[in-house]
Amino acid sequence: MFCVKCGKTAVAEHFCEKCFLQKHELFELEDFHADFCRLCGNFHKGPIDEQIQNKIKTKNRIKGCSIKSKHVGNRLLVSMLCSGYIRPLKSLAREERKAVVYIKNRLCENCVKLSGGYYEAVIQVRGNSIERILNKIRKFIPNESVVAINKLKEGYDIRLMDKKIASRVAARLAQDFD
């Protein structure tokens, strides 16, 4: 069987490998919007590189990708180079796609809660070894979960964004200081 375009030996869908690769794409990448929180400096749905990779559309097998990006105003110009296999061929193909990520500045859910003074739990630190307890607590609590630390004459009140984290810390402290 011969390629219908160039006459060489056909390998897939009546095309030779070169003509088949010209007709089929390894992957697609479209422009999209991403929300960025100007207070905490994070993208809402996780790191931007992960969001870009999740936007890849393909029916083929991608073996690896590299992403290059450049900020221009409120946009991120993305160049993505991927290698993989375009079915049914067995040779490795490499393709580059470009896309634009439009960045919207919006406060994330946690920063909205923080700016409003919202909290779900309070850990009250009292007793003889307050500083030791505080040092232990700092190891267990992620910084973004702490809303406020209030110093009182009898100890500290630590306000937390998430009651699940507060429960874990309280259980851990009960083990360590029991």
Side-chain angles (χ1 to χ4, degrees), residues 147-164:
V147 175
I149 299 176
N150 298 326
K151 184 169 175 37
L152 309 169
K153 64 181 177 182
E154 57 274 346
Y156 290 92
D157 283 351
I158 303 171
R159 293 182 183 175
L160 299 176
M161 182 72 70
D162 188 349
K163 62 184 172 188
K164 291 177 189 170

Side-chain angles (χ1 to χ4, degrees), residues 1 4-5 11 39 53 74-75 91 101 149 158 161-162:
M1 197 177 316
V4 294
K5 191 171 181 184
V11 293
L39 287 181
Q53 285 191 336
N74 66 338
R75 296 173 308 187
S91 60
V101 180
I149 299 176
I158 303 171
M161 182 72 70
D162 188 349

Side-chain angles (χ1 to χ4, degrees), residues 137-149:
I137 289 173
R138 285 189 179 117
K139 291 177 185 176
F140 304 138
I141 301 175
N143 284 339
E144 62 270 6
S145 296
V146 177
V147 175
I149 299 176

Side-chain angles (χ1 to χ4, degrees), residues 45-55 67:
K45 294 181 181 176
I48 193 65
D49 284 356
E50 286 179 16
Q51 288 186 52
I52 293 168
Q53 285 191 336
N54 290 337
K55 294 294 181 177
I67 300 171

